[in-house]
Coordinates of all heavy atoms in Angstrom, one line a residue:
S1507 N -22.8 48.6 -46.7 CA -22.3 48.8 -45.4 C -23.1 49.7 -44.6 O -23.4 50.9 -44.9 CB -20.8 49.6 -45.5 OG -20.0 48.7 -46.1
I1508 N -23.8 49.2 -43.6 CA -24.8 49.9 -42.8 C -24.1 51.0 -41.9 O -24.5 52.0 -41.6 CB -25.7 49.0 -42.0 CG1 -26.6 48.2 -43.0 CG2 -26.6 49.7 -41.0 CD1 -27.5 47.1 -42.4
R1509 N -22.8 50.6 -41.4 CA -22.1 51.5 -40.6 C -20.6 51.2 -40.9 O -20.2 50.2 -41.4 CB -22.5 51.5 -39.2 CG -22.2 50.2 -38.5 CD -22.8 50.2 -37.2 NE -24.3 49.9 -37.3 CZ -25.1 50.7 -36.8 NH1 -25.0 51.8 -36.1 NH2 -26.5 50.3 -36.9
E1510 N -19.7 52.2 -40.5 CA -18.3 51.8 -40.4 C -18.0 51.1 -39.3 O -18.3 51.2 -38.1 CB -17.6 53.3 -40.3 CG -17.5 54.2 -41.4 CD -16.7 53.5 -42.7 OE1 -15.5 53.0 -42.3 OE2 -17.2 53.5 -43.8
V1511 N -17.3 50.0 -39.6 CA -16.9 49.0 -38.5 C -15.4 48.8 -38.5 O -14.8 48.5 -39.6 CB -17.6 47.6 -38.7 CG1 -17.2 46.7 -37.7 CG2 -19.1 47.8 -38.7
S1512 N -14.8 48.9 -37.3 CA -13.4 48.7 -37.1 C -13.3 47.6 -36.1 O -13.8 47.8 -35.0 CB -12.7 50.0 -36.8 OG -11.4 49.6 -36.3
A1513 N -12.6 46.5 -36.2 CA -12.6 45.5 -35.2 C -11.2 45.0 -35.0 O -10.2 45.1 -36.0 CB -13.5 44.4 -35.5
E1514 N -11.0 44.3 -33.9 CA -9.6 43.6 -33.6 C -9.6 42.2 -34.2 O -10.3 41.3 -33.7 CB -9.4 43.5 -32.1 CG -8.9 44.8 -31.5 CD -8.9 44.7 -29.9 OE1 -8.7 43.6 -29.4 OE2 -8.9 45.7 -29.3
V1515 N -9.0 42.1 -35.4 CA -9.0 40.8 -36.1 C -7.7 40.5 -36.7 O -6.8 41.3 -36.8 CB -10.1 40.7 -37.2 CG1 -11.5 40.8 -36.6 CG2 -9.9 41.8 -38.2
D1516 N -7.5 39.2 -37.1 CA -6.4 38.7 -37.9 C -6.7 39.0 -39.4 O -7.5 38.2 -39.9 CB -6.1 37.3 -37.6 CG -4.8 36.9 -38.3 OD1 -4.7 37.2 -39.5 OD2 -4.0 36.1 -37.7
E1517 N -6.2 40.0 -39.9 CA -6.7 40.5 -41.3 C -6.5 39.4 -42.3 O -7.4 39.1 -43.1 CB -5.8 41.8 -41.7 CG -6.4 42.3 -42.9 CD -5.9 43.7 -43.3 OE1 -5.0 44.2 -42.5 OE2 -6.4 44.3 -44.2
V1518 N -5.4 38.7 -42.4 CA -5.1 37.7 -43.4 C -6.1 36.6 -43.3 O -6.7 36.1 -44.3 CB -3.6 37.3 -43.3 CG1 -3.4 36.2 -44.4 CG2 -2.7 38.3 -43.5
K1519 N -6.2 36.1 -42.0 CA -7.1 35.0 -41.9 C -8.6 35.3 -42.2 O -9.2 34.5 -42.9 CB -7.0 34.4 -40.4 CG -5.6 33.7 -40.1 CD -5.7 33.0 -38.8 CE -4.3 32.2 -38.6 NZ -3.3 33.1 -38.0
L1520 N -9.0 36.4 -41.6 CA -10.4 36.8 -41.9 C -10.7 37.1 -43.3 O -11.7 36.7 -43.8 CB -10.8 38.0 -41.0 CG -12.2 38.3 -40.9 CD1 -13.0 37.2 -40.3 CD2 -12.5 39.7 -40.2
S1521 N -9.7 37.5 -43.9 CA -9.9 37.9 -45.4 C -10.0 36.6 -46.2 O -11.0 36.5 -47.1 CB -8.6 38.6 -45.9 OG -8.7 38.9 -47.2
L1522 N -9.3 35.6 -45.8 CA -9.4 34.2 -46.4 C -10.7 33.6 -46.2 O -11.4 33.2 -47.2 CB -8.3 33.4 -45.8 CG -8.1 32.0 -46.5 CD1 -7.6 32.1 -47.8 CD2 -7.1 31.1 -45.6
A1523 N -11.3 33.8 -44.9 CA -12.6 33.2 -44.6 C -13.7 33.9 -45.4 O -14.6 33.3 -45.9 CB -12.8 33.4 -43.1
L1524 N -13.7 35.2 -45.4 CA -14.7 35.9 -46.1 C -14.7 35.7 -47.5 O -15.8 35.6 -48.3 CB -14.7 37.4 -45.6 CG -14.9 37.7 -44.2 CD1 -14.7 39.2 -43.9 CD2 -16.3 37.3 -43.7
N1525 N -13.5 35.7 -48.0 CA -13.2 35.4 -49.5 C -13.9 34.1 -49.9 O -14.6 34.0 -50.9 CB -11.7 35.4 -49.8 CG -11.4 35.4 -51.2 OD1 -11.6 36.5 -51.9 ND2 -11.1 34.3 -51.7
N1526 N -13.7 33.1 -49.0 CA -14.4 31.7 -49.4 C -15.9 31.9 -49.5 O -16.6 31.3 -50.4 CB -14.0 30.7 -48.3 CG -12.6 30.3 -48.4 OD1 -12.0 30.4 -49.5 ND2 -12.1 29.7 -47.4
L1527 N -16.5 32.7 -48.6 CA -18.0 32.8 -48.6 C -18.5 33.5 -49.8 O -19.3 33.1 -50.5 CB -18.4 33.6 -47.3 CG -18.2 32.9 -45.9 CD1 -18.8 33.8 -44.9 CD2 -19.1 31.4 -45.9
V1528 N -17.7 34.6 -50.1 CA -18.2 35.4 -51.3 C -17.9 34.6 -52.6 O -18.8 34.5 -53.5 CB -17.6 36.8 -51.4 CG1 -18.1 37.6 -52.5 CG2 -17.8 37.6 -50.0
E1529 N -16.9 33.9 -52.6 CA -16.5 33.2 -53.8 C -17.5 32.0 -54.0 O -17.9 31.7 -55.1 CB -15.1 32.5 -53.6 CG -14.2 32.5 -54.9 CD -12.8 32.0 -54.6 OE1 -12.7 30.8 -54.4 OE2 -12.0 32.8 -54.5
N1530 N -17.9 31.4 -52.9 CA -18.9 30.3 -53.0 C -20.2 30.8 -53.6 O -20.9 30.2 -54.3 CB -19.1 29.6 -51.6 CG -18.0 28.6 -51.3 OD1 -17.4 28.2 -52.2 ND2 -18.1 28.1 -50.1
A1531 N -20.5 32.1 -53.0 CA -21.8 32.7 -53.4 C -22.0 32.8 -54.9 O -23.0 32.9 -55.5 CB -22.1 34.0 -52.6
V1532 N -20.7 33.2 -55.5 CA -20.6 33.4 -56.9 C -20.6 32.0 -57.7 O -21.3 31.8 -58.6 CB -19.4 34.2 -57.3 CG1 -19.1 34.3 -58.8 CG2 -19.5 35.6 -56.7
K1533 N -19.8 31.1 -57.1 CA -19.6 29.8 -57.7 C -20.9 29.0 -57.8 O -21.2 28.4 -58.9 CB -18.6 29.0 -57.0 CG -17.2 29.0 -57.5 CD -16.1 28.2 -56.8 CE -16.4 27.5 -55.6 NZ -15.3 26.9 -55.0
Y1534 N -21.7 28.9 -56.7 CA -22.9 28.2 -56.6 C -24.1 29.0 -57.0 O -25.1 28.9 -56.4 CB -23.0 27.5 -55.4 CG -21.8 26.6 -55.2 CD1 -20.7 27.0 -54.3 CD2 -21.6 25.4 -55.9 CE1 -19.7 26.2 -54.0 CE2 -20.5 24.6 -55.6 CZ -19.5 25.0 -54.8 OH -18.4 24.3 -54.6
N1535 N -23.9 30.0 -57.9 CA -25.0 30.9 -58.3 C -25.5 30.6 -59.7 O -25.0 29.7 -60.3 CB -24.4 32.3 -58.2 CG -25.6 33.3 -57.8 OD1 -26.7 33.1 -58.1 ND2 -25.2 34.3 -56.9
V1536 N -26.6 31.3 -60.0 CA -27.1 31.1 -61.5 C -26.7 32.2 -62.3 O -26.3 33.3 -61.9 CB -28.6 31.0 -61.3 CG1 -29.0 29.7 -60.7 CG2 -29.2 32.1 -60.7
E1537 N -26.7 32.0 -63.7 CA -26.5 33.1 -64.6 C -27.3 34.3 -64.2 O -28.5 34.1 -63.9 CB -26.7 32.7 -66.1 CG -25.8 31.5 -66.5 CD -24.5 31.9 -67.0 OE1 -24.4 33.0 -67.6 OE2 -23.5 31.2 -66.8
D1538 N -26.9 35.5 -64.3 CA -27.6 36.7 -64.1 C -28.1 36.9 -62.7 O -29.1 37.5 -62.3 CB -28.9 36.9 -65.1 CG -28.4 36.7 -66.5 OD1 -27.4 37.2 -66.8 OD2 -29.1 36.2 -67.2
G1539 N -27.5 36.1 -61.8 CA -27.9 36.1 -60.4 C -27.4 37.3 -59.6 O -26.8 38.3 -60.1
W1540 N -27.4 37.3 -58.2 CA -26.9 38.4 -57.4 C -26.3 37.8 -56.2 O -26.7 36.8 -55.7 CB -28.0 39.5 -57.1 CG -29.2 39.0 -56.6 CD1 -30.4 38.7 -57.2 CD2 -29.5 38.5 -55.2 NE1 -31.3 38.2 -56.4 CE2 -30.7 38.2 -55.0 CE3 -28.7 38.5 -54.0 CZ2 -31.3 37.6 -53.9 CZ3 -29.2 38.0 -52.9 CH2 -30.5 37.6 -52.8
V1541 N -25.3 38.6 -55.6 CA -24.7 38.3 -54.3 C -24.8 39.5 -53.5 O -24.3 40.6 -54.0 CB -23.3 37.9 -54.4 CG1 -22.6 37.6 -53.1 CG2 -23.3 36.4 -55.2
R1542 N -25.4 39.5 -52.3 CA -25.3 40.8 -51.5 C -24.7 40.6 -50.2 O -24.9 39.6 -49.5 CB -26.8 41.2 -51.2 CG -27.0 42.3 -50.2 CD -28.4 42.8 -49.9 NE -28.8 43.7 -51.0 CZ -29.8 43.5 -51.8 NH1 -30.5 42.3 -51.5 NH2 -30.2 44.3 -52.6
V1543 N -23.6 41.4 -50.0 CA -22.8 41.3 -48.8 C -23.2 42.4 -47.8 O -23.1 43.6 -48.3 CB -21.4 41.3 -49.0 CG1 -20.5 41.2 -47.8 CG2 -20.9 40.2 -49.9
T1544 N -23.6 42.2 -46.6 CA -24.1 43.2 -45.7 C -23.2 43.3 -44.4 O -22.9 42.3 -44.0 CB -25.5 43.1 -45.2 OG1 -26.3 42.5 -46.4 CG2 -26.2 44.3 -44.7
L1545 N -22.9 44.5 -44.1 CA -22.0 44.6 -42.9 C -22.7 45.5 -41.9 O -23.2 46.7 -42.3 CB -20.6 45.3 -43.2 CG -19.8 45.7 -42.0 CD1 -19.4 44.5 -41.2 CD2 -18.6 46.4 -42.5
D1546 N -22.9 45.0 -40.6 CA -23.6 45.8 -39.5 C -22.8 45.5 -38.2 O -22.0 44.6 -38.1 CB -25.0 45.4 -39.4 CG -25.8 46.4 -38.8 OD1 -25.3 47.4 -38.3 OD2 -27.2 46.2 -38.5
A1547 N -23.1 46.3 -37.2 CA -22.5 46.1 -35.9 C -23.4 46.6 -34.8 O -24.2 47.5 -35.0 CB -21.1 46.8 -35.9
D1548 N -23.2 46.0 -33.6 CA -23.7 46.7 -32.5 C -22.6 47.1 -31.5 O -21.4 47.1 -31.9 CB -24.9 45.8 -31.8 CG -24.2 44.4 -31.4 OD1 -23.1 44.3 -31.2 OD2 -25.1 43.5 -31.3
H1549 N -22.8 47.2 -30.2 CA -21.7 47.7 -29.3 C -20.8 46.5 -29.1 O -19.6 46.8 -28.6 CB -22.3 48.2 -28.1 CG -23.0 47.3 -27.2 ND1 -24.2 46.7 -27.5 CD2 -22.7 46.7 -26.0 CE1 -24.6 45.8 -26.7 NE2 -23.7 45.9 -25.8
K1550 N -21.2 45.3 -29.4 CA -20.2 44.2 -28.9 C -19.7 43.4 -30.2 O -18.6 42.9 -30.2 CB -21.0 43.3 -28.1 CG -20.4 43.3 -26.7 CD -21.2 42.3 -25.8 CE -20.4 41.6 -24.9 NZ -21.1 40.7 -24.0
Y1551 N -20.6 43.2 -31.2 CA -20.2 42.3 -32.3 C -20.4 43.1 -33.7 O -21.2 44.0 -33.8 CB -21.1 41.1 -32.3 CG -21.1 40.3 -31.1 CD1 -22.0 40.4 -30.0 CD2 -20.2 39.3 -30.9 CE1 -22.1 39.8 -28.9 CE2 -20.0 38.5 -29.8 CZ -21.1 38.6 -28.8 OH -21.0 38.0 -27.6
F1552 N -19.7 42.5 -34.7 CA -20.1 43.0 -36.1 C -20.6 41.8 -36.8 O -20.3 40.6 -36.5 CB -18.9 43.6 -36.7 CG -17.8 42.7 -37.0 CD1 -17.7 42.0 -38.3 CD2 -16.6 42.6 -36.3 CE1 -16.6 41.2 -38.6 CE2 -15.6 41.9 -36.5 CZ -15.5 41.2 -37.7
Y1553 N -21.5 42.0 -37.7 CA -22.1 41.0 -38.4 C -22.0 41.1 -39.9 O -22.2 42.2 -40.4 CB -23.8 41.1 -38.1 CG -24.1 41.1 -36.7 CD1 -24.1 42.3 -36.0 CD2 -24.4 39.9 -35.9 CE1 -24.4 42.3 -34.6 CE2 -24.8 39.9 -34.7 CZ -24.7 41.2 -34.0 OH -25.0 41.2 -32.6
I1554 N -21.6 40.0 -40.6 CA -21.5 40.0 -42.1 C -22.5 38.9 -42.6 O -22.4 37.8 -42.2 CB -20.1 39.7 -42.5 CG1 -19.1 40.9 -42.0 CG2 -20.0 39.6 -43.9 CD1 -17.6 40.5 -42.1
K1555 N -23.3 39.5 -43.5 CA -24.2 38.5 -44.2 C -23.9 38.4 -45.6 O -23.6 39.4 -46.3 CB -25.6 39.2 -44.1 CG -26.6 38.3 -43.4 CD -28.0 39.0 -43.4 CE -28.7 38.8 -42.2 NZ -30.0 39.4 -42.1
V1556 N -23.7 37.1 -46.1 CA -23.4 36.9 -47.5 C -24.6 36.1 -48.0 O -24.8 34.9 -47.7 CB -22.1 36.1 -47.7 CG1 -21.8 36.0 -49.2 CG2 -20.9 36.8 -47.0
A1557 N -25.4 36.9 -48.9 CA -26.7 36.2 -49.4 C -26.6 36.1 -50.9 O -25.9 36.9 -51.5 CB -27.9 37.1 -49.1
D1558 N -27.0 34.9 -51.4 CA -27.0 34.7 -52.9 C -28.3 34.3 -53.4 O -29.2 33.8 -52.7 CB -25.8 33.9 -53.3 CG -25.9 32.6 -52.8 OD1 -27.0 31.9 -53.1 OD2 -25.0 32.0 -52.1
S1559 N -28.4 34.3 -54.8 CA -29.7 33.9 -55.5 C -29.4 32.6 -56.1 O -29.9 32.3 -57.1 CB -30.0 34.9 -56.4 OG -28.9 35.1 -57.4
G1560 N -28.4 31.8 -55.5 CA -27.9 30.6 -56.2 C -28.7 29.3 -56.0 O -29.9 29.3 -55.7
I1561 N -28.1 28.2 -56.2 CA -28.7 26.9 -56.2 C -29.2 26.5 -54.9 O -30.0 25.5 -54.8 CB -27.7 25.9 -56.8 CG1 -26.5 25.8 -56.1 CG2 -27.4 26.2 -58.3 CD1 -25.6 24.6 -56.4
G1562 N -28.6 27.0 -53.9 CA -29.1 26.7 -52.4 C -28.5 25.3 -52.1 O -27.8 24.5 -52.8
I1563 N -28.7 25.0 -50.8 CA -28.1 23.7 -50.3 C -29.2 22.9 -49.7 O -29.9 23.4 -48.8 CB -27.0 24.1 -49.2 CG1 -26.0 24.9 -49.7 CG2 -26.5 22.7 -48.6 CD1 -25.1 25.6 -48.6
P1564 N -29.5 21.7 -50.1 CA -30.5 20.9 -49.6 C -30.4 20.7 -48.1 O -29.3 20.6 -47.6 CB -30.5 19.6 -50.3 CG -29.7 19.8 -51.5 CD -28.8 21.0 -51.3
E1565 N -31.5 20.8 -47.4 CA -31.5 20.7 -45.9 C -30.7 19.5 -45.3 O -29.9 19.7 -44.3 CB -32.9 20.6 -45.3 CG -32.9 21.2 -44.0 CD -34.3 21.5 -43.5 OE1 -35.2 21.7 -44.4 OE2 -34.5 21.5 -42.2
E1566 N -30.7 18.4 -45.9 CA -30.0 17.2 -45.3 C -28.5 17.4 -45.4 O -27.8 16.7 -44.7 CB -30.5 15.9 -46.1 CG -30.1 15.8 -47.6 CD -31.3 16.3 -48.5 OE1 -32.0 17.2 -48.0 OE2 -31.5 15.6 -49.4

Side-chain angles (χ1 to χ4, degrees):
S1507 291
I1508 294 176
R1509 66 192 77 236
E1510 280 299 310
V1511 178
S1512 166
E1514 284 173 19
V1515 294
D1516 183 318
E1517 188 171 3
V1518 177
K1519 290 194 177 83
L1520 189 66
S1521 175
L1522 186 64
L1524 297 175
N1525 191 73
N1526 285 341
L1527 288 182
V1528 183
E1529 218 176 73
N1530 279 349
V1532 173
K1533 261 184 355 190
Y1534 302 103
N1535 216 322
V1536 289
E1537 295 278 324
D1538 308 321
W1540 51 261
V1541 173
R1542 172 177 279 118
V1543 180
T1544 320
L1545 171 65
D1546 196 2
D1548 57 23
H1549 65 291
K1550 249 182 143 175
Y1551 301 95
F1552 66 90
Y1553 306 86
I1554 296 169
K1555 237 184 219 177
V1556 181
D1558 66 54
S1559 59
I1561 57 167
I1563 305 163
E1565 203 163 338
E1566 64 264 37

